[in-house]
Amino acid sequence: MLSNVAKSIGQRNLFGKLKPLSSQQQNGFASEATFETRAFKLHNLEEGPSTKVTLTKEDALKYYGQMYTIRRMETAAGNLYKEKVIRGFCHLYSGQEACAVGMRAAMRPEDSCITAYRCHGWTYLMGVSPVGVLAELTGRSSGCARGKGGSMHMYGKNFYGGNGIVGAQVPLGVGIGFAAKYNGTQGACIALYGDGAANQGQLFEVYNMAKLWNAPCIFVCENNGYGMGTSAERASANTNYYTRGDFVPGIWVDGMDVLAVREATRFALEHTSSGKGPILMETATYRYSGHSMSDPGTSYRSRDEIAEVRQTRDPITSLREKILTTELATVEELKEIEGKIRAEVDSATKVAKTDKEISVDELTADIYANPENLTSVRNTVPHAELQHKRLGQAVNM
């Protein structure tokens, strides 16, 4: 029997597949198609995004490739962890790809993002190559933070991590949004957290501060149904996370549909960038793996539940069906994309296994933004400082 968690993100027999409303043909092939998404739920909003969405062939193939890449990277990361090439913590994003890809599709060059420790997919979308992601996971020098950050601490342009403390990235996100307003960049910050972090007191503090300042910040609760082994229903008296900002308006979106997430994010960006202040978005999604690699993910939910979501609501399979049904692309075109991505990720995996680690001399690099006058750095052993050598800043591969 399915839990309330699985039911909350929708089953095929309840909501059905998204059916195309129309498609435009060009030289015998569809150049774009229009779909009807699942309805949005609103809090303190008179109107929300349109449920009628248009998808071009170019965007369809782009979103499909991005989601497929994230899934392949996470599969590779899981295997590397099992081989003990990745050590420490590792939280996989498999199943939640439509959330990140949909939001990234709506972001503008001036916008920023900050998230928690389930950050590999976001790191890739924000400009880091699969090599930069996987090599960072294995602690190698070609990683996006030179192997110093690992799974939970990855960064890129306008991407502020990858943060390991539960919920602590959300106040930082409000600060990033406030800085954008203060500096007049016209950008907004997307601050992501999970349903498990949603009960942290600091979130409610910054809901209030962001609304007082009208900071251009989008709070995004990626509700995958479970915290660290505890279902949302057991952890929260109010599981309508999009309503929990009080005076902060909210919107609920089907987080397994990349097009619905894209439209909701466009709406949220327009709302906050027009001076109306922050907005809260809940994406109803699902994670296939455990909370982390140390969690088998089956002690608090059934294997049947996971299989049901995979079969009926998988974001990659759903987009693939839309593309083929509307003839935006052929099976051969999609297979070609998949083949190229598999080869790229396989190649990146080999680099992640074989690339060198940074030398001991580089341990003190990248601690300060301006370390010109720094000669030594405090060590873990008293009276045994490390000599500072500026060997280069962290790189984005």
Side-chain angles (χ1 to χ4, degrees), residues 133-175:
V133 173
L134 293 175
E136 186 60 36
L137 286 168
T138 59
R140 312 291 173 149
S141 61
S142 54
C144 61
R146 301 285 288 164
K148 297 179 180 182
S151 174
M152 295 195 290
H153 304 98
M154 298 182 180
Y155 308 93
K157 183 180 180 182
N158 287 356
F159 180 60
Y160 295 84
N163 292 267
I165 300 176
V166 177
Q169 73 279 3
V170 184
L172 299 178
V174 175

Side-chain angles (χ1 to χ4, degrees), residues 5-317:
V5 174
K7 291 177 182 177
S8 71
I9 64 169
Q11 301 173 52
R12 182 173 303 186
N13 60 345
L14 287 179
F15 303 107
K17 300 178 185 178
L18 293 185
K19 295 181 180 179
L21 297 179
S22 64
S23 62
Q24 292 186 13
Q25 299 289 320
Q26 191 174 66
N27 298 325
F29 297 94
S31 58
E32 66 177 45
T34 304
F35 301 89
E36 184 79 21
T37 72
R38 190 175 169 191
F40 301 98
K41 300 176 186 177
L42 307 178
H43 169 68
N44 283 346
L45 289 168
E46 293 184 0
E47 61 180 4
S50 172
T51 56
K52 184 178 179 181
V53 297
T54 300
L55 178 64
T56 66
K57 176 173 182 174
E58 180 182 1
D59 285 344
L61 298 182
K62 178 182 178 181
Y63 305 157
Y64 184 78
Q66 288 175 330
M67 288 198 290
Y68 194 83
T69 299
I70 295 172
R71 182 70 60 85
R72 293 295 300 188
M73 284 199 313
E74 296 295 60
T75 299
N79 292 334
L80 288 169
Y81 193 94
K82 292 169 185 175
E83 296 170 17
K84 298 185 178 180
V85 181
I86 295 174
R87 308 304 292 264
F89 294 100
C90 185
H91 303 79
L92 303 183
Y93 204 64
S94 301
Q96 300 183 213
E97 296 89 351
C99 297
V101 173
M103 281 181 257
R104 186 68 180 98
M107 288 174 68
R108 305 156 303 182
E110 61 270 25
D111 296 324
S112 302
C113 173
I114 187 168
T115 187
Y117 37 69
R118 207 177 301 278
C119 63
H120 312 155
W122 266 107
T123 306
Y124 158 70
L125 292 174
M126 294 301 289
V128 176
S129 70
V131 170
V133 173
L134 293 175
E136 186 60 36
L137 286 168
T138 59
R140 312 291 173 149
S141 61
S142 54
C144 61
R146 301 285 288 164
K148 297 179 180 182
S151 174
M152 295 195 290
H153 304 98
M154 298 182 180
Y155 308 93
K157 183 180 180 182
N158 287 356
F159 180 60
Y160 295 84
N163 292 267
I165 300 176
V166 177
Q169 73 279 3
V170 184
L172 299 178
V174 175
I176 296 166
F178 181 77
K181 180 177 180 179
Y182 184 86
N183 292 321
T185 67
Q186 307 303 314
C189 182
I190 296 176
L192 300 108
Y193 56 98
D195 53 284
N199 298 319
Q200 291 282 319
Q202 57 193 322
L203 269 72
F204 295 91
E205 293 177 28
V206 292
Y207 290 159
N208 181 60
M209 294 170 70
K211 185 59 181 174
L212 282 172
W213 298 339
N214 271 343
C217 181
I218 301 174
F219 300 104
V220 179
C221 178
E222 292 183 291
N223 180 8
N224 61 26
Y226 299 95
M228 195 181 297
T230 306
S231 68
E233 287 82 2
R234 293 181 61 204
S236 299
N238 177 11
T239 57
N240 294 317
Y241 295 100
Y242 69 102
T243 69
R244 292 174 63 168
D246 194 8
F247 280 92
V248 177
I251 182 170
W252 178 99
V253 57
D254 179 0
M256 303 299 267
D257 176 12
V258 66
L259 301 183
V261 175
R262 184 192 69 181
E263 295 309 304
T265 308
R266 283 177 175 171
F267 177 89
L269 284 170
E270 182 179 348
H271 173 95
T272 193
S273 297
S274 62
K276 296 178 181 177
I279 188 169
L280 198 162
M281 189 164 75
E282 176 187 350
T283 60
T285 184
Y286 198 81
R287 58 169 166 80
Y288 295 151
S289 303
H291 174 77
S292 67
M293 291 301 294
S294 61
D295 169 25
T298 53
S299 59
Y300 48 85
R301 58 180 181 175
S302 69
R303 296 182 187 276
D304 289 342
E305 176 184 306
I306 302 170
E308 174 75 10
V309 178
R310 277 186 178 274
Q311 291 169 10
T312 63
R313 297 291 293 164
D314 183 81
I316 300 175
T317 302

Side-chain angles (χ1 to χ4, degrees), residues 357-392:
E357 298 177 357
I358 61 171
S359 65
V360 175
D361 288 340
E362 199 177 337
L363 288 178
T364 61
D366 307 311
I367 296 176
Y368 297 97
N370 298 302
E372 286 79 7
N373 299 321
L374 186 68
T375 58
S376 63
V377 176
R378 187 178 66 182
N379 199 347
T380 56
V381 180
H383 311 298
E385 290 87 359
L386 293 171
Q387 292 303 117
H388 172 69
K389 293 185 179 181
R390 188 177 184 185
L391 300 178

